[in-house]
Amino acid sequence: MIYLFMACICVFFGILADMVKARILDGNLEYASPASIFMAKRYYLILLIMAFIPLFYIGAIRYFVGIDYTTYTNYQIPHVLNGDTRVKVEYLYKQVIYLGNWISNGKSYQPIFVITQGIITLFLFLAVKNTSKDTGLSIWIFVCSSFYAFSLSGMRQAIGSVIFLYALKFIKNKNLKMYVLFLVIAVLFHSSALIYVAASVFLFFNLKIDYTMIALPIIYLASNIIFKIILFISNLTGLYSDYFTGVFNVIYFRPVQIFYILAVSLSIIVILKITEYQYDDKVMNFMLSIQSVLSIVCALVTIIPSSSRLIYGLLPIHILLIPNVLNRIENKELRFSIKIVVYLIYILLFYRCIIIGNYYETLPYKTIYSGINNFLN
């Protein structure tokens, strides 16, 4: 339950930060002195930082928590430090390994995990600060959707995902050069971030979520035909052939994920219709298009090899998308009631995925302090 306790602390400070931010944006400080405005902005930043410190600390002091903690400790990190080029670790994460090993003078790998958690937390902090309209809910989704657990295991991929979320800021600012730059940085941490490069096509047209959901039954019924077309193109070009006919041809997915994604899509459609959304927000349109792609993946999940990887690559968009969609509801009482329901739903999702399913083997939680005690004993 440490993850839920951590999330509650983070949400508490996130809500306080948003309350201070609302005072600033709503003009309640219009007639205040410059010193008062400065202090309000400082309080906001301090509260926001406090909302993310537990996310960093709990991840930084973990000890053999998460599947990849063991694989990195026993395989990737030693091979990278020994100069073994057969191990696939992207350039920027190699630098993290070298830096962490230098800090510990080769005595411990823990600084590598601390730096990794610092990078994930920093870019998540920047993404939420710049794009989310509800800090508390964004953090709650990050933890309870199991992405926090995923970040303790699939660390490089998690870094790529949060850098992408931060890069959305530059779409809003119409600075595509910086957007592309941060996508390149994400790819240099993990090649799976190439999926965000491909998704960038939706910057130029909208894949409307309501039309996608209407077409979903047809896509599902035509899945065998679609598979044959994709397989033909793959064989013709040689691209990703191993994923369809080789060792990576593994069909694996979790039904709870499919239900969750489709339920989110339907809920978003209802809210957008009620609030009469006009598709006039470029960042929102982009996130909605990615949600549409997630829904299509659900329809084709039985024919897409390693579909769970694709889902987990795109799923972090919910950290920003869901709070921003809910924020469109103008009636404060209705918005508050729906958010309470959303919080409760994510508790159930957390219980199913982490408490029961123990996704990514993040339970039982152990710290470096328990590791030291075990060593001494």
Side-chain angles (χ1 to χ4, degrees):
M1 297 299 288
I2 186 171
Y3 301 117
L4 270 183
F5 180 68
M6 171 195 70
C8 289
I9 294 174
C10 294
V11 168
F12 173 74
F13 284 110
I15 291 172
L16 291 180
D18 282 346
M19 289 171 64
V20 175
K21 182 180 179 180
R23 285 189 65 205
I24 298 171
L25 295 179
D26 291 346
N28 292 340
L29 302 176
E30 183 179 355
Y31 302 106
S33 65
S36 297
I37 296 173
F38 173 77
M39 288 303 296
K41 290 181 178 179
R42 175 175 288 186
Y43 288 147
Y44 163 69
L45 187 59
I46 291 172
L47 288 168
L48 195 63
I49 291 172
M50 292 177 70
F52 284 83
I53 286 176
L55 295 175
F56 165 72
Y57 184 71
I58 294 299
I61 66 167
R62 75 188 190 277
Y63 182 74
F64 283 93
V65 173
I67 298 171
D68 280 0
Y69 191 109
T70 302
T71 57
Y72 273 70
T73 299
N74 296 334
Y75 185 69
Q76 275 100 333
I77 294 175
H79 281 269
V80 167
L81 293 175
N82 291 330
D84 190 344
T85 56
R86 293 173 298 176
V87 177
K88 183 184 176 184
V89 176
E90 288 77 4
Y91 174 78
L92 285 182
Y93 199 75
K94 282 184 179 179
Q95 308 314 306
V96 171
I97 291 174
Y98 296 144
L99 176 60
N101 189 63
W102 176 79
I103 290 173
S104 71
N105 198 25
K107 295 178 180 179
S108 171
Y109 294 154
Q110 192 63 31
I112 297 170
F113 297 103
V114 173
I115 296 170
T116 299
Q117 195 64 27
I119 295 171
I120 292 171
T121 308
L122 173 64
F123 279 100
L124 180 69
F125 167 85
L126 293 172
V128 172
K129 180 178 181 292
N130 287 292
T131 307
S132 176
K133 297 185 184 301
D134 189 327
T135 302
L137 185 55
S138 285
I139 294 174
W140 193 252
I141 292 172
F142 174 65
V143 175
C144 294
S145 67
S146 77
F147 188 70
Y148 184 72
F150 174 75
S151 72
L152 300 180
S153 184
M155 298 176 293
R156 285 153 46 220
Q157 184 172 341
I159 291 175
S161 296
V162 293
I163 291 176
F164 165 69
L165 293 181
Y166 170 65
L168 295 180
K169 162 190 175 179
F170 300 107
I171 297 175
K172 182 170 60 176
N173 296 342
K174 299 180 180 179
N175 190 342
L176 287 183
K177 289 182 180 179
M178 289 299 293
Y179 172 75
V180 171
L181 173 63
F182 276 95
L183 283 192
V184 171
I185 293 172
V187 171
L188 289 175
F189 272 108
H190 199 273
S191 58
S192 67
L194 286 169
I195 190 176
Y196 306 127
V197 177
S200 297
V201 68
F202 298 117
L203 292 173
F204 305 101
F205 72 94
N206 300 329
L207 186 60
K208 291 192 174 182
I209 192 167
D210 47 355
Y211 295 160
T212 300
M213 292 302 289
I214 292 172
L216 221 54
I218 300 172
I219 294 172
Y220 175 75
L221 292 173
S223 58
N224 287 332
I225 297 173
I226 294 172
F227 175 74
K228 290 177 182 178
I229 294 171
I230 295 174
L231 183 61
F232 173 77
I233 296 172
S234 177
N235 290 334
L236 190 67
T237 61
L239 294 172
Y240 301 104
S241 57
D242 283 342
Y243 278 86
F244 293 98
T245 59
V247 293
F248 298 112
N249 184 19
V250 179
I251 303 298
Y252 174 72
F253 62 93
R254 294 183 171 105
V256 66
Q257 285 181 338
I258 307 305
F259 176 80
Y260 162 67
I261 291 168
L262 296 180
V264 168
S265 292
L266 291 172
S267 301
I268 287 174
I269 290 172
V270 172
I271 293 173
L272 293 183
K273 291 297 182 183
I274 292 174
T275 59
E276 299 180 347
Y277 181 60
Q278 299 300 314
Y279 288 88
D280 52 356
D281 183 328
K282 197 169 183 65
V283 176
M284 177 74 85
N285 293 345
F286 184 49
M287 293 193 290
L288 289 171
S289 295
I290 292 177
Q291 179 63 27
S292 296
V293 173
L294 275 168
S295 300
I296 293 172
V297 172
C298 291
L300 300 176
V301 73
T302 56
I303 69 165
I304 300 178
S306 300
S307 57
S308 61
R309 278 186 170 271
L310 182 58
I311 288 173
Y312 265 99
L314 298 175
L315 210 54
I317 203 71
H318 286 181
I319 296 168
L320 303 177
L321 174 61
I322 293 175
N324 289 11
V325 168
L326 292 177
N327 195 68
R328 291 189 52 80
I329 302 172
E330 293 184 359
N331 186 297
K332 291 183 179 180
E333 290 76 15
L334 178 60
R335 184 170 66 237
F336 177 77
S337 300
I338 292 176
K339 283 185 178 181
I340 293 298
V341 172
V342 171
Y343 272 96
L344 294 174
I345 289 172
Y346 273 101
I347 289 178
L348 294 175
L349 187 64
F350 178 86
Y351 180 78
R352 172 63 183 84
C353 296
I354 304 301
I355 304 299
I356 296 179
N358 196 16
Y359 287 9
Y360 309 107
E361 297 181 12
T362 52
L363 292 176
Y365 178 77
K366 295 173 289 185
T367 71
I368 53 174
Y369 308 117
S370 62
I372 293 171
N373 291 334
N374 290 337
F375 176 77
L376 294 175
N377 293 331

